[in-house]
Amino acid sequence: MNTKKAFYTNSPRTHKKSGGIPKGHIVLNNFLSAPAVVRDELFGYIALANSETGYTERELNVIKRIADLYGISMERKQMEEALRKSEASLSNAQRISHVGNWDWDIVNNELYWSDEVYHIFGLEPQESRITYEAYIRAIHPDDRMLVLEHVNKAIYENKPYSIDHRILLPDGSERIVHEQAEVTFNETGQAIRMAGTVQDITVRKKAENAMFNAKLVAEAANKSKAEFIANMTHELTTPLNAVIGFSEMLMLGTFGTLNDKQTRYVNNINSSGKHLLDVIDDILDLSKVEAGKMELHPEEFEVSSAIEEVNILVASMAEKKRIEITTDLADNNIVVEADKTKFKQILYNLLSNAIKFTDQGGFVTIGGKISEDFVHIYVKDSGIGISPEDQGKLFNPFFQVDSSSTREYGGTGLALALIKKFVEMHGGKIWVESEVGKGSTFGFSIPTSLKSTSH
Ligand code: ADP
């Protein structure tokens, strides 16, 4: 009696050690081993042990055939595993990115959706086989024409499309999707397939809409703020001018002589009134710039003439503190095209600050040069200086290094914020370099011609 035992081995890599893939079966002392090799790859062995009679040619062929079939089935298993893995990774990628893909066999009207497309449309993938008609029904009625028009253009005019539209889910909720698609044609020019992607962009679109609405609200709020300030300014300046005017008349003794205390108080009323008027003027200017209502009136002028005119304005202030102002222009004929009034206001604020924050007997220099279509101006002083921390805040409205400085030096904390806006309106930049106790240098650059800016 033949006692044959068949066994399998699942160690396909053993051939590596023995040097190469076995080409055929081996019979050794009634022991038969047949390698399962498919396309030069070893998937395992089928082995038989026959203790008595050995093997006939027919038996050998049968075993060899079985080993071949075993190899083929192992290869298929591996391929199926690889396919399953790549499908799982694709489906994962689609789930994470909320992008699904679809394929429409136009000839047989068969539509394939990836799992993610089913999810986007609020359906269970296994529950239903989607049809083209069901897909069209799921599109928001108001967007259906838009989608159909693009589908037709893709099929009849070979125009791939990329559109956003809304879809309706079975539970009645709405989503926004981004779809891209293109058509494949056969040799006769007939559209045979259409393939595309669907991306759920609901969250992104809602955020965009919310941002857009917030921007509209902010713009409206800013506009009403600007209008409010303009109205308030008018309401405040009228009585304030009366306060200043009448206190001046009292100071002049028009209605009789005042005693010392009365003079002091009337002086206070007058200077506080003037300070308040400065604040209101600056706030109005700032809000005008912010509301885009401040316009530039460009003209050509010599920088040296603007500096001279401003020097005259600050001369008495400088004289009182015995501060010498020197001018250091690289070229006396520098000509710019800018808003001269605003240019002078920038210079005036920088110069008056330099004088204000410099001790008696100090010095102030105003200089300028042209390079690369920009005019660069600086105002340097030997004053109290500004700490690095405060330098970053100087150009914020109402900022003053020392809040008690209003009492000591006067001012509103608005001038630098305002002139920064003026410089920016010209397409320029303003900056500061300073060291506490040594002095400060404020500089700004604006284009020599306004044609190179958007204004
Ligand atoms: P203010 O009307 O108070 O001068 P600014 O906006 O012009 O308002 O200046 C804001 C603050 O910046 C000032 O209060 C002062 O603390 C500081 N500052 C401006 N220029 C100088 C300077 N040249 N030296 C030192 N500190 C300065």
Side-chain angles (χ1 to χ4, degrees), residues 220-233 287 291 293:
N222 208 26
K223 194 163 168 260
S224 42
K225 183 188 88 181
E227 277 164 9
F228 169 79
I229 289 172
N231 290 339
M232 276 309 290
T233 309
S287 77
K293 286 194 178 148

Side-chain angles (χ1 to χ4, degrees), residues 112-329:
Y112 159 81
W113 273 7
S114 72
D115 285 0
E116 189 52 27
V117 184
Y118 281 98
H119 286 142
I120 293 172
F121 278 76
L123 298 167
E124 280 303 320
Q126 276 78 32
E127 223 171 63
S128 47
R129 279 283 300 145
I130 193 68
T131 61
Y132 179 71
E133 291 69 25
Y135 157 69
I136 296 294
R137 274 198 305 276
I139 296 170
H140 192 290
D142 295 348
D143 293 349
R144 231 170 256 161
M145 275 314 289
L146 169 96
V147 177
L148 287 172
E149 266 171 27
H150 280 90
V151 171
N152 282 339
K153 274 193 181 154
I155 293 177
Y156 298 110
E157 297 171 32
N158 189 11
K159 281 194 179 144
Y161 63 83
S162 172
I163 50 169
D164 294 346
H165 65 84
R166 289 161 297 171
I167 55 171
L168 288 177
L169 272 54
D171 65 5
S173 62
E174 204 179 290
R175 274 189 197 167
I176 308 165
V177 294
H178 176 68
E179 269 204 75
Q180 283 181 294
E182 58 181 50
V183 174
T184 312
F185 297 86
N186 65 11
E187 322 74 59
T188 62
Q190 188 200 353
I192 50 169
R193 274 183 62 197
M194 191 163 176
T197 55
V198 184
Q199 182 179 13
D200 187 348
I201 55 166
T202 315
V203 175
R204 196 185 82 201
K205 272 279 170 193
K206 282 195 173 150
E208 276 172 16
N209 287 345
M211 266 173 72
F212 183 70
N213 286 338
K215 187 172 163 266
L216 289 184
V217 170
E219 277 170 3
N222 208 26
K223 194 163 168 260
S224 42
K225 183 188 88 181
E227 277 164 9
F228 169 79
I229 289 172
N231 290 339
M232 276 309 290
T233 309
H234 180 73
E235 297 301 319
L236 288 172
T237 46
T238 315
L240 206 50
N241 278 323
V243 169
I244 294 166
F246 284 118
S247 59
E248 262 160 19
M249 283 164 85
L250 288 173
M251 277 156 68
L252 289 172
T254 319
F255 307 108
T257 325
L258 304 177
N259 65 31
D260 283 355
K261 213 169 192 178
Q262 285 169 332
T263 307
R264 229 176 33 246
Y265 287 176
V266 171
N267 254 316
N268 278 347
I269 293 171
N270 186 264
S271 63
S272 301
K274 280 182 175 163
H275 175 72
L276 209 51
L277 201 59
D278 285 346
V279 175
I280 291 168
D281 278 348
D282 284 352
I283 291 179
L284 183 65
D285 281 352
L286 259 179
S287 77
K288 265 191 192 162
V289 178
E290 273 172 12
K293 286 194 178 148
M294 178 75 79
E295 284 176 5
L296 288 181
H297 303 284
E299 59 182 292
E300 271 193 9
F301 60 90
E302 279 185 0
V303 170
S304 58
S305 75
I307 293 178
E308 250 168 60
E309 288 167 35
V310 177
N311 273 344
I312 293 169
L313 294 178
V314 296
S316 70
M317 219 196 297
E319 255 167 46
K320 269 187 210 152
K321 293 178 87 176
R322 286 182 294 106
I323 291 172
E324 197 191 330
I325 302 177
T326 42
T327 306
D328 168 31
L329 277 179

Side-chain angles (χ1 to χ4, degrees), residues 318-319 321-328 350-367 378-385 437-442:
E319 255 167 46
K321 293 178 87 176
R322 286 182 294 106
I323 291 172
E324 197 191 330
I325 302 177
T326 42
T327 306
D328 168 31
L350 293 181
L351 268 176
S352 54
N353 273 348
I355 297 166
K356 196 159 71 171
F357 297 104
T358 299
D359 288 340
Q360 299 268 342
F363 70 84
V364 170
T365 311
I366 175 161
Y378 73 89
V379 176
K380 185 177 160 74
D381 64 56
S382 61
I384 58 172
K438 290 210 166 154
S440 312
T441 304
F442 282 80

Side-chain angles (χ1 to χ4, degrees), residues 382-395:
S382 61
I384 58 172
I386 307 149
S387 72
E389 195 202 338
D390 289 330
Q391 287 173 31
K393 304 177 199 155
L394 283 184
F395 298 98

